[in-house]
Amino acid sequence: MKALKNIWNAAIIAFIMTVILFPLYWLFVTSVKKSDEIFRDPATLIPNIFTFEHYKAVFQGSAIPTYFLNSVINTAGTVLIVLVIPSFAAYSMTRYAFKGKLVYFTVILFAQIMPLTTLIVPLYVMWGKLNMLNTHASIILTNCAILLPMAIWLLTGYFKNVPKDIDEAAKIDGSSSLGILFRMVLPLARSGLVAVGLTVCITAWQEMMIAMTFINSDQMRTLPAGINTFITKSGIQWGPLNAAGIVTTLPVLIVFVVFQKALVKGLTAGATKG
């Protein structure tokens, strides 16, 4: 019975993994097929001839490298700000008592559930009046406004798990509040910082609605928005489109694999500490 149960569990896991990974596999396979083979019926699961002509077209015949750089700048800026500001906010929430603390936390929760679609038009008008459309700043600041409530809420939970006795011992040794935060609290909450940082990184990297709304300059497009350039009036360039999809997906996949253990540790930290 135990062996049969293990086989059944393995079959379920294999089925789930196939459903999850097959779209990514098909994206890659299509990107390395010759153009005529892409439209062959029936479709081939393994290319008859592997070719990287579509990747050459993406990197040498399109603005994808520029879009890639724009995405890196926007994502890095968003992650940096969303890790720094919530760290101060979460430290204040867990270490100090002040009037309106409950109201402040409630506002954060309500801001978290506010749909993006309700904010797009007011933000567009605001950035337009400030002459900030078609800039990295408009994308970064909008991402931060959307992701800051989530980051503050999560980091507050992680910081609560850091014993306050450490703060008191550090104060006796003459450390300031900033010294305690950077030398004691943040290192002990690094798993939470990694989890929040990865969540912000993935969200900012794949964001498209904001980029499509605030950016109309070809030189300032991000990767998710720039991929649409392969969908033209004359037809869809399926080979380059899938190659660009791989280029967009691969960085996030690499980051996730590299920080997978830290992410799992960070996500489960709240469940293992009282």
Side-chain angles (χ1 to χ4, degrees):
M1 286 294 295
K2 186 176 181 180
L4 184 60
K5 184 179 179 180
N6 292 336
I7 294 174
W8 175 251
N9 290 337
I12 294 176
I13 293 174
F15 174 76
I16 294 174
M17 292 300 296
T18 300
V19 172
I20 293 173
L21 295 178
F22 184 77
L24 185 61
Y25 169 78
W26 191 251
L27 186 71
F28 171 73
V29 166
T30 305
S31 72
V32 295
K33 287 180 179 180
K34 284 190 169 293
S35 297
D36 57 346
E37 189 178 354
I38 293 176
F39 300 100
R40 186 172 298 173
D41 187 20
T44 54
L45 290 175
I46 301 176
N48 294 326
I49 299 176
F50 281 83
T51 178
F52 291 96
E53 61 182 17
H54 302 308
Y55 288 92
K56 184 178 180 180
V58 164
F59 285 105
Q60 296 182 3
S62 72
I64 288 296
T66 301
Y67 303 155
F68 186 92
L69 179 61
N70 291 334
S71 289
V72 170
I73 294 173
N74 293 337
T75 301
T78 301
V79 171
L80 180 62
I81 295 174
V82 173
L83 282 182
V84 172
I85 295 179
S87 294
F88 288 103
Y91 183 74
S92 300
M93 292 287 290
T94 56
R95 294 306 194 267
Y96 299 104
F98 54 88
K99 291 183 179 180
K101 184 176 180 180
L102 180 60
V103 175
Y104 172 69
F105 201 71
T106 303
V107 170
I108 291 176
L109 291 178
F110 274 108
Q112 173 65 27
I113 64 176
M114 185 174 295
L116 175 60
T117 51
T118 62
L119 303 174
I120 284 292
V121 174
L123 287 172
Y124 181 86
V125 174
M126 181 182 72
W127 296 136
K129 290 184 177 181
L130 294 174
N131 295 320
M132 291 179 62
L133 294 175
N134 293 311
T135 63
H136 292 299
S138 64
I139 303 296
I140 293 173
L141 293 177
T142 302
N143 284 334
C144 290
I146 295 169
L147 295 171
L148 274 172
M150 177 273 297
I152 294 173
W153 184 62
L154 290 177
L155 286 181
T156 298
Y158 290 117
F159 283 15
K160 283 182 179 179
N161 291 326
V162 178
K164 292 184 179 180
D165 295 342
I166 295 177
D167 298 35
E168 297 173 0
K171 286 180 180 179
I172 294 176
D173 292 337
S175 293
S176 62
S177 296
L178 284 177
I180 295 172
L181 173 62
F182 285 103
R183 296 197 199 101
M184 309 296 293
V185 178
L186 290 181
L188 291 174
R190 60 183 177 272
S191 296
L193 290 172
V194 171
V196 173
L198 282 178
T199 302
V200 172
C201 177
I202 294 172
T203 304
W205 182 266
Q206 67 184 8
E207 195 288 317
M208 187 172 73
M209 182 184 295
I210 295 172
M212 292 287 288
T213 304
F214 298 158
I215 302 296
N216 54 39
S217 169
D218 188 62
Q219 293 298 316
M220 295 300 298
R221 286 179 178 174
T222 59
L223 267 178
I227 288 179
N228 288 330
T229 57
F230 296 108
I231 303 175
T232 63
K233 293 181 179 179
S234 58
I236 301 176
Q237 304 175 45
W238 287 107
L241 179 64
N242 283 270
I246 290 294
V247 172
T248 304
T249 305
L250 197 57
V252 175
L253 190 61
I254 293 174
V255 169
F256 180 80
V257 170
V258 171
F259 294 99
Q260 181 182 8
K261 291 184 178 179
L263 176 61
V264 173
K265 185 178 180 181
L267 293 175
T268 57
T272 58
K273 294 181 181 180

